[in-house]
């Protein structure tokens, strides 16, 4: 009897070990596929040649004529709303928009298949075409500085000093944004700063209140602010020092 229990214990340990190894291998395989898939998308954007523009319907139902560099990806997936990149980081990703299913790309790939890594996406109540006063873009915090995990470096002012601008293109416009504030807060509770609720400013006071809230929580003073009428992007990712924590980077559009 004791021998049977002993053998059962060994078999159970072997089974658990095999399951654990399978999960580890699957994790790294998925991570590798995730990296390769986004690299291929970036190559398409980087290598796009001049082509005739065509008018097509975007995810929000509006007619759009994508820039040459985004036409191929837009043909593949009409949920594409733009592209975000920060020089000197791993952030170089498509940005999606599905107002009818706001969080679809939280757990789906660019090909619309299930994915733990998802794709950066714009909050459903924002409008990238109009555009909204503030475009809120969500992305997963993935270890190794991948996806929006790279934003964690902005907690250090020395990093900010070398990465003051963010490039965010819509389908029809190339644009750069200057970082205003970097802060952390919490969501779903009463105490956190509800940055995710600010989309359009009904008054100048509303706009100023949002900027003030961002500045008060900021890790450091960037010396940059924004005025009513400026267009903003707010990048949001998970931050694990508190339950339901978020790291937030706010930037304003540079107008030449």
């Amino acid at each position: 009897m004791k021998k049977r229990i002993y053998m059962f214990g060994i078999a159970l340990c072997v089974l658990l070990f095999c399951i654990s190894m399978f999960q580890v291998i699957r994790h790294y395989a998925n991570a590798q596929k995730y990296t390769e898939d986004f690299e291929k998308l970036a190559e398409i954007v980087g290598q796009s040649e001049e082509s005739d523009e065509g008018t097509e319907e975007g995810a929000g139902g509006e007619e759009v004529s994508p820039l040459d560099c985004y036409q191929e990806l837009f043909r593949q997936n009409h949920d594409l709303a733009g592209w975000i990149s920060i020089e000197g980081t791993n952030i170089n990703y498509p940005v999606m928009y599905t107002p009818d299913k706001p969080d679809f790309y939280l757990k789906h790939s660019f090909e619309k298949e299930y994915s733990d890594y998802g794709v950066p996406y714009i909050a459903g109540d924002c409008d990238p075409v109009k555009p909204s006063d503030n475009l809120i873009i969500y992305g997963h915090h993935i270890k190794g500085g991948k996806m929006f995990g790279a934003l964690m470096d902005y907690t250090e002012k020395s990093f900010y000093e070398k990465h003051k601008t963010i490039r965010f293109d819509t389908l029809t416009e190339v644009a750069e944004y200057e970082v205003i504030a970097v802060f952390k807060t919490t969501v779903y509770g009463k105490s956190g700063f509800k940055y995710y609720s600010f989309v359009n400013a009904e008054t100048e006071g509303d706009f100023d209140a949002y900027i003030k809230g961002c500045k008060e929580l900021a890790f450091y003073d960037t010396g940059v602010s924004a005025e009513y009428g400026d267009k903003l992007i707010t990048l949001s990712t998970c931050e694990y020092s508190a339950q339901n924590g978020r790291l937030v980077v706010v930037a304003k559009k540079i107008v030449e």
Side-chain angles (χ1 to χ4, degrees):
M1 183 67 179
K2 290 183 178 179
K3 185 176 180 180
R4 288 184 180 179
I5 294 174
Y6 176 73
M7 293 302 294
F8 175 79
I10 291 177
L12 181 60
C13 289
V14 171
L15 176 62
L16 292 174
F17 175 78
C18 290
I19 292 174
S20 296
M21 288 301 298
F22 172 77
Q23 290 176 334
V24 169
I25 292 171
R26 185 178 65 174
H27 169 77
Y28 281 104
N30 288 341
Q32 183 62 30
K33 183 178 184 301
Y34 145 84
T35 300
E36 292 175 353
D37 287 348
F38 280 116
E39 285 177 349
K40 290 177 182 177
L41 296 177
E43 287 176 5
I44 292 173
V45 171
Q47 296 175 1
S48 294
E49 298 178 354
E50 292 293 322
S51 60
D52 294 333
E53 290 189 359
T55 300
E56 301 187 58
E57 186 174 288
E62 72 288 343
E63 295 294 324
V64 293
S65 298
L67 296 168
D68 291 337
C69 56
Y70 301 122
Q71 284 190 27
E72 176 57 32
L73 293 191
F74 189 69
R75 290 191 191 101
Q76 293 181 26
N77 188 336
H78 277 31
D79 293 339
L80 178 71
W83 192 277
I84 190 165
S85 61
I86 302 176
E87 188 173 355
T89 76
N90 289 324
I91 293 180
N92 191 30
Y93 298 108
V95 176
M96 316 306 284
Y97 179 58
T98 52
D100 293 335
K101 297 180 180 179
D103 297 321
F104 180 80
Y105 285 97
L106 180 69
K107 289 292 184 179
H108 287 85
S109 68
F110 184 82
E111 292 76 23
K112 299 185 179 183
E113 299 174 349
Y114 179 84
S115 168
D116 287 330
Y117 300 98
V119 188
Y121 64 96
I122 297 172
D125 51 352
C126 296
D127 186 341
V129 176
K130 190 177 180 180
S132 306
D133 292 332
N134 185 29
L135 291 178
I136 304 166
I137 304 176
Y138 297 111
H140 281 296
H141 178 168
I142 298 176
K143 294 180 180 179
K146 296 179 180 179
M147 194 70 77
F148 278 12
L151 295 178
M152 295 303 298
D153 289 332
Y154 273 110
T155 59
E156 299 294 332
K157 190 173 183 179
S158 58
F159 179 85
Y160 155 76
E161 293 287 354
K162 297 178 181 178
H163 304 84
K164 293 183 177 182
T165 60
I166 298 168
R167 176 171 168 176
F168 173 63
D169 300 346
T170 63
L171 293 177
T172 58
E173 181 184 30
V174 174
E176 286 193 330
Y177 292 74
E178 187 175 14
V179 174
I180 295 173
V182 181
F183 60 90
K184 64 179 180 179
T185 186
T186 57
V187 295
Y188 309 132
K190 295 181 179 179
S191 60
F193 176 49
K194 294 179 172 53
Y195 66 92
Y196 46 86
S197 296
F198 178 73
V199 174
N200 285 303
E202 294 185 7
T203 67
E204 183 174 354
D206 290 340
F207 188 91
D208 292 344
Y210 177 70
I211 297 300
K212 180 181 178 182
C214 295
K215 287 287 191 178
E216 288 176 345
L217 292 172
F219 289 107
Y220 45 80
D221 183 11
T222 62
V224 181
S225 190
E227 298 178 352
Y228 184 55
D230 285 335
K231 296 300 181 181
L232 309 174
I233 57 170
T234 296
L235 311 183
S236 172
T237 194
C238 290
E239 194 278 328
Y240 301 114
S241 67
Q243 185 176 12
N244 297 321
R246 296 293 185 270
L247 181 83
V248 183
V249 178
V250 180
K252 72 171 181 178
K253 187 176 182 180
I254 297 173
V255 180
E256 309 226 344

